[in-house]
Amino acid sequence: MGKQQKLIYLIKYFGLAVLVIAVWEYASLKGFIPPYSLPAPHKIVQTFVLTLRDGTLPEYIWVSIVRVFTGFVLAGLAAVVLSVLISLSKNFEIVTSLILQVLKPIPPIAWIPIAILWLGIGEPSKVFIIFIGAFFPILINTVSGIKQIDTRYVEVSRVFEIPHAKLIKNVVIPGALPQIMTGLRIGLGNAWICVVAAEMIAATTGIGYMLMDGRQLAQPDKVILAMLLVGIIGKLMDDILGKIGNKVLYW
């Protein structure tokens, strides 16, 4: 891609966002938008700089990222292991089907009260909510991916009496990897939704707490900043996961 093509791409990519911000700033300065409902972009930038300088913003961001990463990794490991068992064992699929089908439609936010009762208001309850939110998208996509693998590969492995561990490592996981990566990206998005919800209800730090604190103190600039941070960090993490997927799925 040449320099001119890169410039055109960047204009297209950032153009609409820049236009929206410019119109938003102009409307705010002219008084068309009340500052108590939607503060001007420069006010949000000022809040960003202030919270960055006093150290609260880096702390909130770091805490939320650690919570998301912990719950997401645990959900990914559990979902992939369970998916393999479900896909390769008909009896195990039958035994677990009813429980999973009942639990799957329950929104992660609905688990917050019971998570607090079981685990308190500390880190375990928040990680649990994130785990629930990320688990089912990864599980569903992984099971779907494994079941779409050409059965001839599995049959050949059985003919040659290949050990189950080697079959899973060399056939099942690689064959389902595109679907697994899709599930991981959806699960990661859900994890960010869940961490914000959990931090809004029971937390003393994190981006969700920042959002709720801004609402209680009638500081819409802090609320919008928290919302933007969730979107930006979530996009960056999704981009990183997408690049990892491109490397892994090089074929």
Side-chain angles (χ1 to χ4, degrees):
M1 184 182 291
K3 291 184 179 180
Q4 187 176 0
Q5 289 178 318
K6 286 183 179 180
L7 180 61
I8 293 173
Y9 173 80
L10 290 174
I11 292 173
K12 290 180 178 179
Y13 189 76
F14 291 105
L16 181 60
V18 171
L19 178 62
V20 169
I21 293 172
V23 172
W24 176 8
E25 179 72 22
Y26 177 81
S28 298
L29 292 175
K30 291 297 183 179
F32 298 131
I33 302 176
Y36 56 83
S37 61
L38 185 63
H42 76 270
K43 178 62 176 176
I44 297 171
V45 173
Q46 289 175 358
T47 303
F48 171 77
V49 173
L50 289 174
T51 53
L52 192 64
R53 285 177 177 173
D54 64 22
T56 56
L57 188 60
E59 178 190 351
Y60 290 167
I61 292 173
W62 175 250
V63 168
S64 293
I65 288 176
V66 170
R67 286 169 178 162
V68 167
F69 184 77
T70 304
F72 173 70
V73 170
L74 292 175
L77 292 173
V80 170
V81 171
L82 190 60
S83 298
V84 171
L85 294 174
I86 289 173
S87 302
L88 298 183
S89 173
K90 192 67 178 176
N91 290 329
F92 189 81
E93 181 180 11
I94 294 171
V95 169
T96 58
S97 178
L98 177 61
I99 294 177
L100 292 175
Q101 291 297 327
V102 170
L103 294 179
K104 183 176 64 175
I106 301 175
I109 296 175
W111 286 90
I112 291 178
I114 199 72
I116 294 174
L117 288 174
W118 288 349
L119 304 171
I121 60 173
E123 293 303 305
S125 61
K126 298 171 186 60
V127 172
F128 175 75
I129 297 301
I130 296 165
F131 175 91
I132 293 294
F135 176 78
F136 284 103
I138 302 172
L139 178 74
I140 294 168
N141 279 274
T142 304
V143 170
S144 176
I146 295 175
K147 290 189 174 184
Q148 289 177 14
I149 295 174
D150 195 332
T151 55
R152 290 176 295 181
Y153 296 129
V154 179
E155 292 170 0
V156 169
S157 67
R158 288 173 179 169
V159 169
F160 286 97
E161 297 181 349
I162 295 176
H164 284 291
K166 196 171 183 180
L167 170 66
I168 293 169
K169 178 183 176 182
N170 296 331
V171 177
V172 174
I173 298 298
L177 206 51
Q179 289 286 82
I180 294 175
M181 292 306 302
T182 300
L184 288 173
R185 295 182 72 171
I186 297 172
L188 182 61
N190 282 4
W192 272 105
I193 295 172
C194 293
V195 72
V196 172
E199 289 174 348
M200 286 175 65
I201 293 173
T204 56
T205 185
I207 298 177
Y209 169 76
M210 178 183 176
L211 195 153
M212 181 56 66
D213 187 52
R215 184 192 70 82
Q216 293 175 340
L217 298 176
Q219 296 177 328
D221 51 320
K222 185 180 287 189
V223 173
I224 295 173
L225 176 60
M227 293 169 61
L228 291 174
L229 286 172
V230 171
I232 292 169
I233 298 171
K235 182 197 182 307
L236 291 175
M237 293 184 71
D238 182 71
D239 287 345
I240 292 170
L241 194 57
K243 289 185 182 299
I244 293 173
N246 292 335
K247 292 287 185 182
V248 174
L249 303 172
Y250 58 88
W251 66 85

